[in-house]
Amino acid sequence: MDDSITYQFQSMAMQALVCCALTFVGSGLGCAFWIDFRRRTGRGWARAGTVVWVLGTLIGLGFGMLSTQPGQVTRLTASRSGLRLESGLLGPTVELAWSEVRVVDIQRDRLVVETGRGAVFTSAVVYRGDQQKLLWSIAARRPASDQ
């Protein structure tokens, strides 16, 4: 049996909901302009309305993706072999051996993992629970030779 813990900072469902909601708002604003432009005379206005609708949807999607905090750690798994850091919707999953991990700490209420190569991984949302208990449970999985 693998002795590991998993801590989820932010759920994927919440990220998807926020992204879809902002995309919907952008599309709705674009649709409102499209309806207004279609009421005007001339085909040029109808085309302009379609362009604004598409741009509104893309802007909403862009803000939706930014609001999911790309590049931030949303889920951490610590085991005897190392750390597994999962990022949001489109972010990469990073596997770190304990020999690569330099520091695991909490700074400004966020979990921070620093590697020996200088890479820094930060949790996606502020962690306000028992921070020392989380750090202890992560450190307990680290082999004694790497501490």
Side-chain angles (χ1 to χ4, degrees):
M1 183 172 134
D2 187 28
D3 180 31
S4 66
I5 62 158
T6 299
Y7 189 84
Q8 181 121 5
F9 293 99
Q10 185 179 31
S11 73
M12 297 301 246
M14 181 58 85
Q15 287 185 346
L17 179 69
V18 168
C19 183
C20 290
L22 289 175
T23 303
F24 180 74
V25 167
S27 181
L29 289 173
C31 180
F33 278 102
W34 178 73
I35 290 169
D36 181 52
F37 287 177
R38 279 200 68 191
R39 290 184 181 161
R40 297 177 191 267
T41 58
R43 285 186 74 78
W45 284 107
R47 288 188 188 121
T50 304
V51 168
V52 170
W53 192 354
V54 169
L55 287 176
T57 302
L58 292 175
I59 289 171
L61 179 64
F63 279 111
M65 289 305 296
L66 287 176
S67 69
T68 62
Q69 300 178 358
Q72 303 292 313
V73 175
T74 59
R75 184 183 181 125
L76 168 108
T77 303
S79 66
R80 295 277 177 209
S81 60
L83 295 177
R84 178 183 173 99
L85 307 170
E86 298 175 31
S87 297
L89 292 172
L90 301 174
T93 298
V94 178
E95 305 247 356
L96 297 171
W98 282 114
S99 60
E100 298 176 65
V101 176
R102 191 170 65 87
V103 176
V104 177
D105 194 13
I106 295 198
Q107 300 172 359
R108 292 179 291 175
D109 293 326
R110 292 178 183 252
L111 183 76
V112 176
V113 177
E114 295 180 25
T115 67
R117 296 176 297 197
V120 177
F121 302 96
T122 309
S123 63
V125 294
V126 175
Y127 174 70
R128 298 194 190 277
D130 188 356
Q131 297 174 351
Q132 292 306 318
K133 185 177 179 181
L134 177 66
L135 285 176
W136 179 84
S137 60
I138 293 170
R141 270 72 183 169
R142 189 172 195 159
S145 61
D146 288 334
Q147 292 181 358

